PDB file of all heavy atoms in Angstrom:
ATOM      1  N   PHE A  75      -5.815  -9.915  -7.713  1.00  0.00           N
ATOM      2  CA  PHE A  75      -6.057 -10.677  -8.937  1.00  0.00           C
ATOM      3  C   PHE A  75      -5.091 -11.838  -9.075  1.00  0.00           C
ATOM      4  O   PHE A  75      -3.996 -11.831  -8.527  1.00  0.00           O
ATOM      5  CB  PHE A  75      -6.006  -9.790 -10.194  1.00  0.00           C
ATOM      6  CG  PHE A  75      -4.654  -9.229 -10.537  1.00  0.00           C
ATOM      7  CD1 PHE A  75      -3.759  -9.936 -11.333  1.00  0.00           C
ATOM      8  CD2 PHE A  75      -4.276  -7.976 -10.091  1.00  0.00           C
ATOM      9  CE1 PHE A  75      -2.517  -9.413 -11.666  1.00  0.00           C
ATOM     10  CE2 PHE A  75      -3.043  -7.441 -10.417  1.00  0.00           C
ATOM     11  CZ  PHE A  75      -2.157  -8.157 -11.211  1.00  0.00           C
ATOM     12  N   ILE A  76      -5.554 -12.842  -9.814  1.00  0.00           N
ATOM     13  CA  ILE A  76      -4.710 -13.940 -10.276  1.00  0.00           C
ATOM     14  C   ILE A  76      -4.940 -14.022 -11.773  1.00  0.00           C
ATOM     15  O   ILE A  76      -6.072 -14.126 -12.235  1.00  0.00           O
ATOM     16  CB  ILE A  76      -5.055 -15.286  -9.608  1.00  0.00           C
ATOM     17  CG1 ILE A  76      -4.808 -15.212  -8.096  1.00  0.00           C
ATOM     18  CG2 ILE A  76      -4.226 -16.420 -10.235  1.00  0.00           C
ATOM     19  CD1 ILE A  76      -5.173 -16.486  -7.337  1.00  0.00           C
ATOM     20  N   PHE A  77      -3.858 -13.957 -12.518  1.00  0.00           N
ATOM     21  CA  PHE A  77      -3.907 -14.030 -13.974  1.00  0.00           C
ATOM     22  C   PHE A  77      -3.139 -15.266 -14.399  1.00  0.00           C
ATOM     23  O   PHE A  77      -2.081 -15.561 -13.849  1.00  0.00           O
ATOM     24  CB  PHE A  77      -3.269 -12.777 -14.587  1.00  0.00           C
ATOM     25  CG  PHE A  77      -3.268 -12.765 -16.083  1.00  0.00           C
ATOM     26  CD1 PHE A  77      -4.396 -12.383 -16.782  1.00  0.00           C
ATOM     27  CD2 PHE A  77      -2.140 -13.151 -16.790  1.00  0.00           C
ATOM     28  CE1 PHE A  77      -4.413 -12.385 -18.170  1.00  0.00           C
ATOM     29  CE2 PHE A  77      -2.132 -13.149 -18.177  1.00  0.00           C
ATOM     30  CZ  PHE A  77      -3.275 -12.766 -18.873  1.00  0.00           C
ATOM     31  N   LYS A  78      -3.671 -15.975 -15.398  1.00  0.00           N
ATOM     32  CA  LYS A  78      -3.038 -17.199 -15.877  1.00  0.00           C
ATOM     33  C   LYS A  78      -2.880 -17.114 -17.389  1.00  0.00           C
ATOM     34  O   LYS A  78      -3.775 -16.661 -18.096  1.00  0.00           O
ATOM     35  CB  LYS A  78      -3.929 -18.387 -15.532  1.00  0.00           C
ATOM     36  CG  LYS A  78      -3.522 -19.703 -16.156  1.00  0.00           C
ATOM     37  CD  LYS A  78      -4.567 -20.760 -15.811  1.00  0.00           C
ATOM     38  CE  LYS A  78      -4.506 -21.903 -16.768  1.00  0.00           C
ATOM     39  NZ  LYS A  78      -5.516 -22.921 -16.509  1.00  0.00           N
ATOM     40  N   SER A  79      -1.731 -17.562 -17.857  1.00  0.00           N
ATOM     41  CA  SER A  79      -1.495 -17.674 -19.301  1.00  0.00           C
ATOM     42  C   SER A  79      -0.384 -18.693 -19.515  1.00  0.00           C
ATOM     43  O   SER A  79       0.655 -18.634 -18.872  1.00  0.00           O
ATOM     44  CB  SER A  79      -1.085 -16.322 -19.885  1.00  0.00           C
ATOM     45  OG  SER A  79      -0.835 -16.423 -21.267  1.00  0.00           O
ATOM     46  N   GLY A  80      -0.620 -19.624 -20.411  1.00  0.00           N
ATOM     47  CA  GLY A  80       0.400 -20.619 -20.735  1.00  0.00           C
ATOM     48  C   GLY A  80       0.853 -21.447 -19.551  1.00  0.00           C
ATOM     49  O   GLY A  80       2.011 -21.827 -19.462  1.00  0.00           O
ATOM     50  N   GLY A  81      -0.024 -21.727 -18.597  1.00  0.00           N
ATOM     51  CA  GLY A  81       0.348 -22.524 -17.428  1.00  0.00           C
ATOM     52  C   GLY A  81       1.155 -21.762 -16.396  1.00  0.00           C
ATOM     53  O   GLY A  81       1.654 -22.349 -15.443  1.00  0.00           O
ATOM     54  N   LYS A  82       1.300 -20.453 -16.567  1.00  0.00           N
ATOM     55  CA  LYS A  82       2.017 -19.614 -15.602  1.00  0.00           C
ATOM     56  C   LYS A  82       1.031 -18.618 -14.993  1.00  0.00           C
ATOM     57  O   LYS A  82       0.017 -18.286 -15.593  1.00  0.00           O
ATOM     58  CB  LYS A  82       3.172 -18.892 -16.282  1.00  0.00           C
ATOM     59  CG  LYS A  82       4.222 -19.865 -16.799  1.00  0.00           C
ATOM     60  CD  LYS A  82       5.377 -19.131 -17.426  1.00  0.00           C
ATOM     61  CE  LYS A  82       6.398 -20.115 -17.983  1.00  0.00           C
ATOM     62  NZ  LYS A  82       7.528 -19.419 -18.595  1.00  0.00           N
ATOM     63  N   PHE A  83       1.372 -18.139 -13.797  1.00  0.00           N
ATOM     64  CA  PHE A  83       0.446 -17.319 -13.026  1.00  0.00           C
ATOM     65  C   PHE A  83       1.096 -16.024 -12.539  1.00  0.00           C
ATOM     66  O   PHE A  83       2.275 -16.030 -12.157  1.00  0.00           O
ATOM     67  CB  PHE A  83      -0.043 -18.084 -11.800  1.00  0.00           C
ATOM     68  CG  PHE A  83      -0.801 -19.332 -12.138  1.00  0.00           C
ATOM     69  CD1 PHE A  83      -0.127 -20.524 -12.364  1.00  0.00           C
ATOM     70  CD2 PHE A  83      -2.180 -19.315 -12.234  1.00  0.00           C
ATOM     71  CE1 PHE A  83      -0.822 -21.690 -12.686  1.00  0.00           C
ATOM     72  CE2 PHE A  83      -2.878 -20.474 -12.560  1.00  0.00           C
ATOM     73  CZ  PHE A  83      -2.199 -21.656 -12.779  1.00  0.00           C
ATOM     74  N   ILE A  84       0.301 -14.964 -12.524  1.00  0.00           N
ATOM     75  CA  ILE A  84       0.669 -13.706 -11.864  1.00  0.00           C
ATOM     76  C   ILE A  84      -0.328 -13.493 -10.732  1.00  0.00           C
ATOM     77  O   ILE A  84      -1.534 -13.519 -10.958  1.00  0.00           O
ATOM     78  CB  ILE A  84       0.574 -12.492 -12.808  1.00  0.00           C
ATOM     79  CG1 ILE A  84       1.551 -12.592 -13.964  1.00  0.00           C
ATOM     80  CG2 ILE A  84       0.835 -11.196 -12.027  1.00  0.00           C
ATOM     81  CD1 ILE A  84       1.400 -11.459 -14.989  1.00  0.00           C
ATOM     82  N   LEU A  85       0.194 -13.301  -9.537  1.00  0.00           N
ATOM     83  CA  LEU A  85      -0.627 -12.906  -8.400  1.00  0.00           C
ATOM     84  C   LEU A  85      -0.355 -11.431  -8.176  1.00  0.00           C
ATOM     85  O   LEU A  85       0.813 -11.022  -8.107  1.00  0.00           O
ATOM     86  CB  LEU A  85      -0.247 -13.692  -7.143  1.00  0.00           C
ATOM     87  CG  LEU A  85      -0.742 -15.125  -7.057  1.00  0.00           C
ATOM     88  CD1 LEU A  85      -0.088 -16.006  -8.097  1.00  0.00           C
ATOM     89  CD2 LEU A  85      -0.507 -15.667  -5.675  1.00  0.00           C
ATOM     90  N   GLY A  86      -1.398 -10.626  -8.087  1.00  0.00           N
ATOM     91  CA  GLY A  86      -1.200  -9.188  -7.977  1.00  0.00           C
ATOM     92  C   GLY A  86      -1.954  -8.551  -6.839  1.00  0.00           C
ATOM     93  O   GLY A  86      -3.067  -8.951  -6.502  1.00  0.00           O
ATOM     94  N   GLU A  87      -1.322  -7.559  -6.269  1.00  0.00           N
ATOM     95  CA  GLU A  87      -1.930  -6.729  -5.236  1.00  0.00           C
ATOM     96  C   GLU A  87      -1.848  -5.298  -5.727  1.00  0.00           C
ATOM     97  O   GLU A  87      -0.773  -4.826  -6.110  1.00  0.00           O
ATOM     98  CB  GLU A  87      -1.172  -6.894  -3.918  1.00  0.00           C
ATOM     99  CG  GLU A  87      -1.717  -6.095  -2.775  1.00  0.00           C
ATOM    100  CD  GLU A  87      -3.074  -6.588  -2.262  1.00  0.00           C
ATOM    101  OE1 GLU A  87      -3.497  -7.707  -2.595  1.00  0.00           O
ATOM    102  OE2 GLU A  87      -3.719  -5.827  -1.522  1.00  0.00           O
ATOM    103  N   ALA A  88      -2.978  -4.600  -5.750  1.00  0.00           N
ATOM    104  CA  ALA A  88      -3.039  -3.233  -6.264  1.00  0.00           C
ATOM    105  C   ALA A  88      -3.334  -2.257  -5.138  1.00  0.00           C
ATOM    106  O   ALA A  88      -4.199  -2.510  -4.299  1.00  0.00           O
ATOM    107  CB  ALA A  88      -4.117  -3.127  -7.333  1.00  0.00           C
ATOM    108  N   LYS A  89      -2.625  -1.138  -5.159  1.00  0.00           N
ATOM    109  CA  LYS A  89      -2.837  -0.087  -4.163  1.00  0.00           C
ATOM    110  C   LYS A  89      -2.744   1.271  -4.836  1.00  0.00           C
ATOM    111  O   LYS A  89      -1.864   1.514  -5.671  1.00  0.00           O
ATOM    112  CB  LYS A  89      -1.778  -0.144  -3.048  1.00  0.00           C
ATOM    113  CG  LYS A  89      -1.757  -1.423  -2.256  1.00  0.00           C
ATOM    114  CD  LYS A  89      -3.014  -1.628  -1.456  1.00  0.00           C
ATOM    115  CE  LYS A  89      -2.947  -2.925  -0.674  1.00  0.00           C
ATOM    116  NZ  LYS A  89      -4.202  -3.286  -0.066  1.00  0.00           N
ATOM    117  N   PHE A  90      -3.649   2.148  -4.457  1.00  0.00           N
ATOM    118  CA  PHE A  90      -3.588   3.547  -4.871  1.00  0.00           C
ATOM    119  C   PHE A  90      -3.218   4.326  -3.623  1.00  0.00           C
ATOM    120  O   PHE A  90      -3.985   4.384  -2.659  1.00  0.00           O
ATOM    121  CB  PHE A  90      -4.934   4.011  -5.434  1.00  0.00           C
ATOM    122  CG  PHE A  90      -4.905   5.435  -5.898  1.00  0.00           C
ATOM    123  CD1 PHE A  90      -4.194   5.784  -7.032  1.00  0.00           C
ATOM    124  CD2 PHE A  90      -5.581   6.422  -5.207  1.00  0.00           C
ATOM    125  CE1 PHE A  90      -4.149   7.092  -7.473  1.00  0.00           C
ATOM    126  CE2 PHE A  90      -5.553   7.736  -5.633  1.00  0.00           C
ATOM    127  CZ  PHE A  90      -4.833   8.074  -6.774  1.00  0.00           C
ATOM    128  N   LEU A  91      -2.028   4.892  -3.617  1.00  0.00           N
ATOM    129  CA  LEU A  91      -1.474   5.537  -2.429  1.00  0.00           C
ATOM    130  C   LEU A  91      -1.560   7.052  -2.570  1.00  0.00           C
ATOM    131  O   LEU A  91      -1.058   7.620  -3.532  1.00  0.00           O
ATOM    132  CB  LEU A  91      -0.028   5.074  -2.237  1.00  0.00           C
ATOM    133  CG  LEU A  91       0.086   3.548  -2.125  1.00  0.00           C
ATOM    134  CD1 LEU A  91       1.496   3.084  -2.359  1.00  0.00           C
ATOM    135  CD2 LEU A  91      -0.450   3.068  -0.801  1.00  0.00           C
ATOM    136  N   THR A  92      -2.206   7.686  -1.594  1.00  0.00           N
ATOM    137  CA  THR A  92      -2.487   9.112  -1.694  1.00  0.00           C
ATOM    138  C   THR A  92      -1.712   9.978  -0.718  1.00  0.00           C
ATOM    139  O   THR A  92      -1.761  11.196  -0.801  1.00  0.00           O
ATOM    140  CB  THR A  92      -3.987   9.372  -1.471  1.00  0.00           C
ATOM    141  OG1 THR A  92      -4.350   8.887  -0.172  1.00  0.00           O
ATOM    142  CG2 THR A  92      -4.821   8.692  -2.533  1.00  0.00           C
ATOM    143  N   ASP A  93      -0.993   9.362   0.210  1.00  0.00           N
ATOM    144  CA  ASP A  93      -0.283  10.128   1.233  1.00  0.00           C
ATOM    145  C   ASP A  93       0.873   9.285   1.762  1.00  0.00           C
ATOM    146  O   ASP A  93       0.956   8.089   1.498  1.00  0.00           O
ATOM    147  CB  ASP A  93      -1.242  10.479   2.366  1.00  0.00           C
ATOM    148  CG  ASP A  93      -0.773  11.660   3.207  1.00  0.00           C
ATOM    149  OD1 ASP A  93       0.302  12.217   2.924  1.00  0.00           O
ATOM    150  OD2 ASP A  93      -1.496  12.028   4.149  1.00  0.00           O
ATOM    151  N   TYR A  94       1.755   9.914   2.514  1.00  0.00           N
ATOM    152  CA  TYR A  94       2.890   9.218   3.116  1.00  0.00           C
ATOM    153  C   TYR A  94       2.569   8.867   4.566  1.00  0.00           C
ATOM    154  O   TYR A  94       1.852   9.577   5.250  1.00  0.00           O
ATOM    155  CB  TYR A  94       4.139  10.106   3.091  1.00  0.00           C
ATOM    156  CG  TYR A  94       4.579  10.490   1.708  1.00  0.00           C
ATOM    157  CD1 TYR A  94       4.413  11.786   1.236  1.00  0.00           C
ATOM    158  CD2 TYR A  94       5.163   9.555   0.862  1.00  0.00           C
ATOM    159  CE1 TYR A  94       4.828  12.139  -0.038  1.00  0.00           C
ATOM    160  CE2 TYR A  94       5.572   9.896  -0.418  1.00  0.00           C
ATOM    161  CZ  TYR A  94       5.398  11.195  -0.861  1.00  0.00           C
ATOM    162  OH  TYR A  94       5.807  11.534  -2.120  1.00  0.00           O
ATOM    163  N   GLY A  95       3.125   7.756   5.024  1.00  0.00           N
ATOM    164  CA  GLY A  95       3.058   7.391   6.429  1.00  0.00           C
ATOM    165  C   GLY A  95       1.860   6.545   6.808  1.00  0.00           C
ATOM    166  O   GLY A  95       0.957   6.291   6.008  1.00  0.00           O
ATOM    167  N   GLY A  96       1.888   6.069   8.057  1.00  0.00           N
ATOM    168  CA  GLY A  96       0.780   5.373   8.681  1.00  0.00           C
ATOM    169  C   GLY A  96       0.152   4.264   7.867  1.00  0.00           C
ATOM    170  O   GLY A  96       0.818   3.337   7.401  1.00  0.00           O
ATOM    171  N   THR A  97      -1.151   4.359   7.696  1.00  0.00           N
ATOM    172  CA  THR A  97      -1.927   3.343   6.992  1.00  0.00           C
ATOM    173  C   THR A  97      -1.441   3.163   5.563  1.00  0.00           C
ATOM    174  O   THR A  97      -1.410   2.049   5.046  1.00  0.00           O
ATOM    175  CB  THR A  97      -3.418   3.724   6.994  1.00  0.00           C
ATOM    176  OG1 THR A  97      -3.844   3.855   8.350  1.00  0.00           O
ATOM    177  CG2 THR A  97      -4.259   2.671   6.316  1.00  0.00           C
ATOM    178  N   GLN A  98      -1.048   4.265   4.915  1.00  0.00           N
ATOM    179  CA  GLN A  98      -0.581   4.167   3.531  1.00  0.00           C
ATOM    180  C   GLN A  98       0.704   3.347   3.450  1.00  0.00           C
ATOM    181  O   GLN A  98       0.869   2.558   2.526  1.00  0.00           O
ATOM    182  CB  GLN A  98      -0.351   5.567   2.956  1.00  0.00           C
ATOM    183  CG  GLN A  98      -1.629   6.374   2.818  1.00  0.00           C
ATOM    184  CD  GLN A  98      -2.468   5.937   1.640  1.00  0.00           C
ATOM    185  OE1 GLN A  98      -2.159   6.258   0.504  1.00  0.00           O
ATOM    186  NE2 GLN A  98      -3.532   5.193   1.904  1.00  0.00           N
ATOM    187  N   ASN A  99       1.604   3.499   4.416  1.00  0.00           N
ATOM    188  CA  ASN A  99       2.813   2.671   4.445  1.00  0.00           C
ATOM    189  C   ASN A  99       2.450   1.193   4.627  1.00  0.00           C
ATOM    190  O   ASN A  99       3.069   0.317   4.023  1.00  0.00           O
ATOM    191  CB  ASN A  99       3.763   3.110   5.557  1.00  0.00           C
ATOM    192  CG  ASN A  99       4.585   4.315   5.175  1.00  0.00           C
ATOM    193  OD1 ASN A  99       4.565   4.776   4.036  1.00  0.00           O
ATOM    194  ND2 ASN A  99       5.301   4.860   6.139  1.00  0.00           N
ATOM    195  N   ASN A 100       1.442   0.924   5.453  1.00  0.00           N
ATOM    196  CA  ASN A 100       1.003  -0.460   5.653  1.00  0.00           C
ATOM    197  C   ASN A 100       0.423  -1.032   4.363  1.00  0.00           C
ATOM    198  O   ASN A 100       0.694  -2.190   4.015  1.00  0.00           O
ATOM    199  CB  ASN A 100      -0.039  -0.539   6.774  1.00  0.00           C
ATOM    200  CG  ASN A 100       0.545  -0.215   8.130  1.00  0.00           C
ATOM    201  OD1 ASN A 100       1.742  -0.333   8.346  1.00  0.00           O
ATOM    202  ND2 ASN A 100      -0.297   0.210   9.044  1.00  0.00           N
ATOM    203  N   GLN A 101      -0.368  -0.236   3.655  1.00  0.00           N
ATOM    204  CA  GLN A 101      -0.920  -0.669   2.375  1.00  0.00           C
ATOM    205  C   GLN A 101       0.210  -0.956   1.377  1.00  0.00           C
ATOM    206  O   GLN A 101       0.185  -1.949   0.654  1.00  0.00           O
ATOM    207  CB  GLN A 101      -1.848   0.409   1.798  1.00  0.00           C
ATOM    208  CG  GLN A 101      -3.077   0.694   2.643  1.00  0.00           C
ATOM    209  CD  GLN A 101      -4.060  -0.444   2.605  1.00  0.00           C
ATOM    210  OE1 GLN A 101      -4.309  -1.026   1.555  1.00  0.00           O
ATOM    211  NE2 GLN A 101      -4.623  -0.795   3.742  1.00  0.00           N
ATOM    212  N   PHE A 102       1.191  -0.078   1.366  1.00  0.00           N
ATOM    213  CA  PHE A 102       2.352  -0.235   0.494  1.00  0.00           C
ATOM    214  C   PHE A 102       3.086  -1.544   0.810  1.00  0.00           C
ATOM    215  O   PHE A 102       3.420  -2.313  -0.079  1.00  0.00           O
ATOM    216  CB  PHE A 102       3.282   0.974   0.663  1.00  0.00           C
ATOM    217  CG  PHE A 102       4.578   0.853  -0.065  1.00  0.00           C
ATOM    218  CD1 PHE A 102       4.655   1.078  -1.430  1.00  0.00           C
ATOM    219  CD2 PHE A 102       5.746   0.525   0.614  1.00  0.00           C
ATOM    220  CE1 PHE A 102       5.852   0.965  -2.111  1.00  0.00           C
ATOM    221  CE2 PHE A 102       6.946   0.417  -0.049  1.00  0.00           C
ATOM    222  CZ  PHE A 102       7.005   0.637  -1.417  1.00  0.00           C
ATOM    223  N   ARG A 103       3.317  -1.807   2.100  1.00  0.00           N
ATOM    224  CA  ARG A 103       4.012  -3.033   2.506  1.00  0.00           C
ATOM    225  C   ARG A 103       3.236  -4.288   2.075  1.00  0.00           C
ATOM    226  O   ARG A 103       3.834  -5.273   1.666  1.00  0.00           O
ATOM    227  CB  ARG A 103       4.232  -3.059   4.018  1.00  0.00           C
ATOM    228  CG  ARG A 103       5.436  -2.275   4.498  1.00  0.00           C
ATOM    229  CD  ARG A 103       5.716  -2.624   5.944  1.00  0.00           C
ATOM    230  NE  ARG A 103       6.085  -1.648   6.897  1.00  0.00           N
ATOM    231  CZ  ARG A 103       5.591  -0.440   7.142  1.00  0.00           C
ATOM    232  NH1 ARG A 103       4.617   0.031   6.438  1.00  0.00           N
ATOM    233  NH2 ARG A 103       6.041   0.330   8.089  1.00  0.00           N
ATOM    234  N   ASP A 104       1.911  -4.230   2.183  1.00  0.00           N
ATOM    235  CA  ASP A 104       1.091  -5.365   1.732  1.00  0.00           C
ATOM    236  C   ASP A 104       1.357  -5.662   0.260  1.00  0.00           C
ATOM    237  O   ASP A 104       1.540  -6.812  -0.131  1.00  0.00           O
ATOM    238  CB  ASP A 104      -0.408  -5.075   1.913  1.00  0.00           C
ATOM    239  CG  ASP A 104      -0.857  -5.118   3.360  1.00  0.00           C
ATOM    240  OD1 ASP A 104      -0.102  -5.631   4.211  1.00  0.00           O
ATOM    241  OD2 ASP A 104      -1.976  -4.625   3.634  1.00  0.00           O
ATOM    242  N   ALA A 105       1.360  -4.620  -0.550  1.00  0.00           N
ATOM    243  CA  ALA A 105       1.569  -4.805  -1.996  1.00  0.00           C
ATOM    244  C   ALA A 105       2.983  -5.293  -2.287  1.00  0.00           C
ATOM    245  O   ALA A 105       3.177  -6.225  -3.074  1.00  0.00           O
ATOM    246  CB  ALA A 105       1.286  -3.507  -2.741  1.00  0.00           C
TER     247      ALA A 105
END
Side-chain angles (χ1 to χ4, degrees):
F75 68 88
I76 297 178
F77 180 81
K78 171 185 159 182
S79 179
K82 296 182 182 180
F83 298 86
I84 297 175
L85 283 67
E87 181 70 14
K89 299 294 180 190
F90 181 70
L91 303 163
T92 59
D93 201 0
Y94 299 108
T97 302
Q98 294 284 283
N99 280 353
N100 293 337
Q101 297 289 318
F102 174 78
R103 278 192 221 45
D104 287 346

